[in-house]
């Protein structure tokens, strides 16, 4: 019986590993192909010769993407948005989730506040009212028009609240006996314990801010104020026209070795690279945070 179970487990593990490898390859291979296209010559791309390795290797698409400073300017705006936006998100989520993690006996009106937040998750005010509010507040063409409308991501706040509810109440009770105030309990005791949870929701916020292009398209009248994803979106839609307009002068050499497909691939890879660099450092906290959120004692 023991031998049968061991054999069955080996078969299950082999099938499971094979399935996960196939799923991972499905996610990874398109990205590898995109990277290969960005480093390939225009003739090879047009002929459909590019697979997972570059053909007629060239860096012309990246040289073109980094010329003129527009890409770097959009990148800096996105970095500024992520730093300010994620910082504000975490502060508001912690300050909101902490009291809502308590029972209605300890926090008066807790259920009313929670109902209000849940309603905002299900029903939004709409794009036009939000646009009018941003305009009346004079936030258009500023970095705050990209940050303040989503300052409190309620879904992530609920996740953080569930993390806090999983922390034993005895920890806070011991701190209260020692004379700690609620703010001291939050800052000195709970926040160190919540590092995996903060990393989890923080990663969600980073990806949300970084990938958002629609807000920049709506609230920015000046293309020089576009964040990176909005800049890429406008560039991808009109790449052929841009190539034709800039088809003379000192960049003629670059345009001969690239086309719209290689240019788009290079821009997309550069746009995704920062998040790819951040994720490995948060992965261990991300995994631990998910486990903490699923186990309640």
């Amino acid at each position: 019986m023991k031998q049968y179970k061991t054999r069955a487990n080996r078969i299950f593990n082999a099938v499971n590993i094979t399935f996960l490898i196939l799923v991972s390859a499905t996610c990874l291979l398109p990205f590898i192909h995109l990277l290969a296209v960005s480093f390939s010559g225009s003739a090879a791309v047009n002929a459909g010769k590019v697979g997972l390795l570059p053909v007629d290797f060239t860096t012309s698409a990246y040289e073109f993407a980094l010329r003129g400073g527009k890409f770097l300017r959009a990148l800096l705006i996105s970095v500024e948005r992520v730093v300010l936006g994620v910082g504000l998100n975490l502060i508001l989520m912690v300050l909101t989730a902490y009291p809502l993690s308590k029972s209605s006996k300890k926090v008066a009106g807790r259920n009313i506040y929670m109902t209000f937040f849940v309603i905002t998750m299900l029903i939004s005010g709409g794009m036009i009212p939000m646009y009018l509010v941003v305009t009346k507040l004079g936030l258009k063409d500023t970095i705050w028009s990209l940050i303040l409308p989503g300052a409190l991501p309620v879904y992530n706040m609920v996740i953080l609240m569930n993390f806090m509810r999983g922390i034993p109440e005895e920890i806070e009770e011991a701190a209260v006996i020692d004379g700690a105030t609620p703010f001291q309990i939050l800052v000195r005791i709970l926040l160190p314990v919540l590092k995996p949870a903060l990393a989890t929701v923080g990663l969600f916020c980073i990806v949300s801010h970084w990938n958002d292009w629609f807000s920049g398209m709506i609230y920015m009248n000046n293309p020089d104020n576009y964040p990176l994803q909005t800049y890429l979106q406008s560039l991808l839609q009109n790449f052929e026209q841009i190539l034709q307009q800039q088809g003379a002068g000192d960049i003629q050499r670059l345009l001969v070795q690239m086309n719209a497909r290689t240019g788009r691939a290079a821009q997309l890879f550069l746009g995704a690279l920062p998040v790819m660099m951040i994720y490995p450092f948060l992965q261990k906290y991300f995994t631990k945070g998910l486990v903490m959120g699923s186990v309640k004692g």
Side-chain angles (χ1 to χ4, degrees):
M1 187 67 178
K2 183 177 181 181
Q3 182 178 2
Y4 173 77
K5 288 184 177 181
T6 302
R7 183 179 180 183
N9 289 338
R10 289 178 179 175
I11 295 175
F12 173 78
N13 291 335
V15 173
N16 193 28
I17 292 173
T18 303
F19 175 75
L20 292 177
I21 290 175
L22 292 176
V23 172
S24 300
T26 303
C27 300
L28 187 61
L29 291 180
F31 191 80
I32 296 177
H33 173 71
L34 182 71
L35 182 61
V37 169
S38 67
F39 282 111
S40 299
S42 58
V45 173
N46 290 332
K49 297 180 179 179
V50 181
L52 300 179
L53 295 176
V55 179
D56 300 331
F57 183 86
T58 177
T59 59
S60 299
Y62 291 93
E63 294 178 36
F64 179 81
L66 298 176
R67 289 184 65 89
K70 290 186 177 181
F71 181 91
L72 294 179
R73 177 180 175 81
L75 176 64
L76 292 177
I77 292 175
S78 284
V79 171
E80 181 183 8
R81 175 184 180 178
V82 168
V83 172
L84 295 176
V86 174
L88 182 61
N89 291 155
L90 291 176
I91 291 174
L92 293 180
M93 282 191 296
V94 169
L95 295 179
T96 306
Y98 179 52
L100 292 179
S101 65
K102 309 301 180 184
S103 65
S104 57
K105 296 180 180 179
K106 295 183 178 180
V107 178
R110 185 262 180 195
N111 293 335
I112 298 176
Y113 293 123
M114 195 63 212
T115 302
F116 170 78
F117 285 114
V118 171
I119 291 176
T120 62
M121 292 175 60
L122 303 176
I123 304 174
S124 65
M127 182 177 65
I128 294 177
M130 181 62 71
Y131 178 83
L132 294 177
V133 170
V134 171
T135 302
K136 293 299 182 180
L137 292 176
L139 299 177
K140 288 193 65 177
D141 275 322
T142 67
I143 191 67
W144 298 109
S145 65
L146 307 176
I147 296 174
L148 294 182
L152 177 60
V154 179
Y155 180 80
N156 293 337
M157 184 274 292
V158 173
I159 295 177
L160 187 60
M161 182 189 69
N162 288 329
F163 283 125
M164 291 184 176
R165 295 180 69 178
I167 299 176
E169 296 183 358
E170 290 77 8
I171 297 178
E172 295 188 45
E173 293 174 356
V176 171
I177 294 175
D178 290 337
T181 64
F183 183 77
Q184 290 175 330
I185 294 173
L186 175 62
V187 174
R188 297 185 179 182
I189 298 176
L190 293 185
L191 288 186
V193 176
L194 289 172
K195 283 183 180 179
L198 294 175
T200 301
V201 296
L203 182 60
F204 292 158
C205 294
I206 290 173
V207 174
S208 177
H209 280 290
W210 188 263
N211 289 339
D212 179 31
W213 62 270
F214 193 62
S215 298
M217 194 70 71
I218 295 176
Y219 301 130
M220 298 297 180
N221 293 327
N222 187 356
D224 291 338
N225 295 329
Y226 281 170
L228 182 60
Q229 300 303 329
T230 306
Y231 169 74
L232 292 179
Q233 178 67 19
S234 62
L235 195 65
L236 297 179
Q237 291 179 344
N238 307 294
F239 210 96
E240 289 83 356
Q241 293 82 347
I242 294 175
L243 291 178
Q244 293 175 2
Q245 294 173 2
Q246 301 185 10
D250 59 344
I251 63 172
Q252 183 65 36
R253 177 185 61 84
L254 300 179
L255 300 181
V256 171
Q257 302 178 27
M258 61 174 289
N259 57 19
R261 286 188 61 190
T262 59
R264 289 192 182 103
Q267 298 277 1
L268 291 173
F269 180 77
L270 289 173
L273 186 60
V275 175
M276 294 171 56
M277 295 174 62
I278 292 174
Y279 182 78
F281 296 99
L282 298 178
Q283 183 179 9
K284 63 178 181 178
Y285 295 109
F286 180 74
T287 305
K288 184 177 179 181
L290 291 178
V291 174
M292 284 178 58
S294 61
V295 178
K296 297 292 184 292

